């Protein structure tokens, strides 16, 4: 046992916590900062390849399925509406709405992910073909990994919802995946706009 | 700036704003041209930055625990001081204010730290130094017959005061500083800031430790 712990009667000292930034807010801020840096590094590579190198985007011979990805964007945006509905439902004590909202969100997220996998298999270029391919797969793959994590969180929330773990006063287990899911959605809008459209 | 991901509702609103932001840029770029898209991007980005800065961070509300919770014959006094607690003026002020009451004095010694150390959370040294100053101050108060307890607070004196007021329902606060010209706290407007931020009566006591030492000689 350390001398510091002994000075507190065998227990670890009480954690010093200033009320300037509370722990959950600080955690979320740090998470967002790390995500911005992660996605920022990929976007830096994208802009470097596209603007500094001045190559055509997409390069000749490559074609991006803008329409299919657009439909997929609508699917993902709709999933944000459904998770919001789910949360609003449980806040009003509507358990059926919570379950339906969460199930729909998981289904829409799965549709998005599977459509992206299908898109990869038919797109006609690979990550190792050129820098464009590397950036495309890097950015969309990074986002896909986030969607996968979000789906895991939402699946757990859905199982818990069906087991009756949530109530109008206790629904933190839906709130946190909800925030994460909206964040993933925001990032996809940025990725879709910059990679596919502009 | 307010964190847009504090709750699901705020994250949802941020998502809707993001959709609107990018839809306007894409629409301008596709319908009119790339330069129009760039112009819309610049205008919307500047507007968003302007609104975010103008909105600022909401002032924290004074919590319930900041209200006095002392009994009728009890006087709760919160003393905020760095190294001037041992000064004669402050000791006399505490005695005068607790006359006729059972005093409950809490001394808070802020763990003053260098800015870089503060941002990297390296505050062990600052807290140890503050604890040593606090121990010495409490010993001097005990010698003067004042029964006080103490704790080390946040490096920001105003924050240390707020933290202490949350758990210690004080009747009044005494801020002890060095005289003007030698006091960093006065330079930073700690006393006026405290009067604006808290509803508890605040007394400012100037302690000239150098003059007191001269008198002793």
């Amino acid at each position: 046992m350390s001398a510091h712990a002994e000075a507190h009667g065998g227990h670890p000292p009480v954690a010093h916590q200033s009320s300037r930034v509370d722990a959950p807010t600080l955690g979320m801020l740090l998470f967002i900062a790390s995500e911005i840096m992660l996605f920022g590094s990929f976007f830096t590579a994208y802009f470097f390849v596209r603007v500094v190198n001045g190559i055509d985007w997409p390069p000749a011979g490559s074609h991006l399925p803008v329409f299919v990805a657009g439909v997929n964007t609508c699917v993902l945006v709709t999933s944000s509406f459904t998770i919001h509905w789910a949360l609003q439902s449980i806040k009003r004590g509507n358990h059926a709405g919570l379950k339906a909202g969460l199930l729909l969100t998981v289904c829409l997220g799965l549709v998005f992910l599977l459509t992206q996998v299908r898109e990869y298999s038919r797109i006609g270029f690979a990550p190792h073909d050129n820098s464009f391919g590397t950036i495309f797969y890097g950015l969309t793959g990074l986002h896909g990994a986030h969607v996968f994590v979000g789906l895991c969180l939402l699946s757990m929330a859905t199982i818990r919802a069906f087991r009756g773990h949530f109530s109008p006063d206790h629904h933190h287990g839906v709130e946190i995946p909800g925030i994460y899911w909206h964040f993933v959605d925001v990032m996809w809008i940025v990725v879709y706009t910059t990679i596919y459209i502009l | 700036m307010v964190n847009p991901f504090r709750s699901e509702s705020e994250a949802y609103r941020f998502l809707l704003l993001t959709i609107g932001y990018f839809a306007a840029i894409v629409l301008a770029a596709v319908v009119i041209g790339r330069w129009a898209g760039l112009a819309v991007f610049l205008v919307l980005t500047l507007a968003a930055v302007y609104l975010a800065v103008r909105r600022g961070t909401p002032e924290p509300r004074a919590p319930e625990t900041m209200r006095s919770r002392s009994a009728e014959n009890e006087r709760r006094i919160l003393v905020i001081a760095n190294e001037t607690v041992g000064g004669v003026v402050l000791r006399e002020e505490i005695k005068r204010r607790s006359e006729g009451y059972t005093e409950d004095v809490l001394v808070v010694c802020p763990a003053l730290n260098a800015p870089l150390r503060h941002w990297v959370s390296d505050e062990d040294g600052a807290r140890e130094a503050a604890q040593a100053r606090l121990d010495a101050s409490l010993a001097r108060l005990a010698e003067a017959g004042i029964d006080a307890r103490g704790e080390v607070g946040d490096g920001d004196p105003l924050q240390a005061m707020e933290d202490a007021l949350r758990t210690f329902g004080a009747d009044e606060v005494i801020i002890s500083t060095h005289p003007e010209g030698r006091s960093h706290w006065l330079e930073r407007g700690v006393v006026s800031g405290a009067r604006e931020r808290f509803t508890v009566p605040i007394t400012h006591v100037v302690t000239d430790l150098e003059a007191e030492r001269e008198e002793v000689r």
Side-chain angles (χ1 to χ4, degrees):
Chain A
M1 189 191 295
S2 69
H4 206 53
E6 277 170 12
H8 291 81
H11 301 289
V14 177
H16 170 68
Q17 187 186 331
S18 166
S19 55
R20 187 179 298 171
V21 183
D22 64 313
T25 308
L26 183 64
M28 188 51 81
L29 278 173
L30 289 174
F31 167 72
I32 292 168
S34 69
E35 287 291 318
I36 286 170
M37 283 187 270
L38 182 62
F39 274 96
S41 61
F42 278 77
F43 274 110
T44 304
Y46 160 74
F47 283 113
F48 187 84
V49 168
R50 190 170 171 181
V51 181
V52 179
N53 281 2
I55 64 165
D56 290 334
W57 191 271
S62 303
H63 172 72
L64 290 175
V66 179
F67 178 72
V68 175
V71 173
N72 222 11
T73 303
C74 291
V75 168
L76 199 62
V77 169
T78 308
S79 73
S80 263
F81 297 157
T82 54
I83 184 78
H84 184 65
W85 173 51
L87 205 68
Q88 293 305 310
S89 298
I90 191 61
K91 281 179 183 173
R92 294 188 194 103
N94 178 1
H95 287 264
L98 170 74
K99 290 173 194 168
L102 280 171
L103 258 183
L104 273 172
T105 309
V106 171
C107 290
L108 289 166
L110 267 176
V111 168
F112 174 87
L113 212 54
L114 292 174
T115 308
Q116 198 171 15
V117 170
R118 183 76 178 141
E119 185 187 311
Y120 282 173
S121 66
R122 304 182 72 168
I123 204 160
F125 58 87
H128 54 265
D129 284 353
N130 48 35
S131 57
F132 163 75
T134 309
I135 295 295
F136 174 82
Y137 279 99
L139 261 172
T140 55
L142 177 69
H143 181 267
H146 279 75
V147 173
F148 178 74
V149 171
L151 276 176
C152 292
L153 296 174
L154 286 170
S155 302
M156 282 189 273
T158 309
I159 292 168
R160 291 189 65 198
F162 274 87
R163 289 187 171 184
H165 287 192
F166 303 119
S167 69
D169 296 324
H170 301 284
H171 47 263
H172 214 56
V174 188
E175 177 102 19
I176 299 300
I179 294 174
Y180 181 83
W181 196 249
H182 291 318
F183 171 77
V184 168
D185 212 345
V186 166
M187 286 321 300
W188 175 252
I189 288 164
V190 180
V191 170
Y192 176 68
T193 310
T194 49
I195 299 284
Y196 288 85
I197 299 184
L198 296 177
Chain B
M1 208 177 89
V2 176
N3 170 17
F5 290 95
R6 278 186 307 182
S7 66
E8 191 275 338
S9 302
E10 288 185 65
Y12 180 69
R13 197 172 56 197
F14 184 70
L15 169 72
L16 296 180
L17 287 171
T18 306
I19 293 170
Y21 175 82
F22 280 100
I25 293 170
V26 169
L27 213 63
V30 172
V31 175
I32 306 170
R34 285 195 171 188
W35 290 108
L38 184 66
V40 171
F41 162 74
L42 287 173
V43 169
L44 289 180
T45 305
L46 286 174
V49 170
Y50 172 73
L51 287 174
V53 171
R54 200 177 154 200
R55 194 175 162 195
T57 309
E59 276 292 306
R61 281 177 300 174
E64 288 290 312
T65 45
M66 282 189 181
R67 290 178 191 162
S68 167
R69 287 175 307 197
S70 54
E72 249 180 52
N73 59 341
E74 191 188 36
R75 194 104 185 128
R76 287 182 175 223
I77 302 171
L78 173 64
V79 179
I80 306 287
N82 181 26
E83 53 185 4
T84 53
V85 177
V88 177
V89 185
L90 179 62
R91 290 196 309 241
E92 293 304 316
E93 186 67 28
I94 295 172
K95 274 188 171 178
R96 195 172 66 78
R97 293 192 169 268
S98 55
E99 224 164 73
Y101 294 100
T102 311
E103 85 260 20
D104 186 0
V105 181
L106 175 69
V107 179
V108 171
C109 202
L112 303 178
N113 207 357
L116 181 63
R117 285 178 182 274
H118 170 75
W119 285 111
V120 297
S121 297
D122 179 11
E123 58 170 27
D124 288 353
R127 294 188 73 77
E128 276 169 23
Q131 186 64 54
R133 287 195 300 272
L134 180 66
D135 291 342
S137 300
L138 292 176
R140 268 179 238 147
L141 287 177
E143 281 169 19
I146 299 169
D147 184 24
R149 56 203 165 96
E151 59 184 50
V152 172
D154 192 274
D156 175 0
L158 285 177
Q159 190 61 50
M161 221 178 294
E162 185 177 324
D163 289 346
L165 283 170
R166 282 174 192 272
T167 51
F168 182 76
D171 293 297
E172 60 182 304
V173 177
I174 298 178
I175 304 175
S176 174
T177 69
H178 290 293
E180 201 151 8
R182 294 212 303 271
S183 169
H184 291 296
W185 287 10
L186 287 181
E187 222 170 273
R188 286 166 51 192
V190 168
V191 179
S192 53
R195 286 192 172 125
E196 280 173 24
R197 193 155 154 184
F198 308 113
T199 51
V200 188
I202 289 168
T203 306
H204 175 212
V205 171
V206 176
T207 304
D208 193 344
L209 288 176
E210 282 181 22
E212 283 180 17
R213 277 186 210 120
E214 288 294 318
E215 275 175 29
V216 170
R217 279 176 205 165

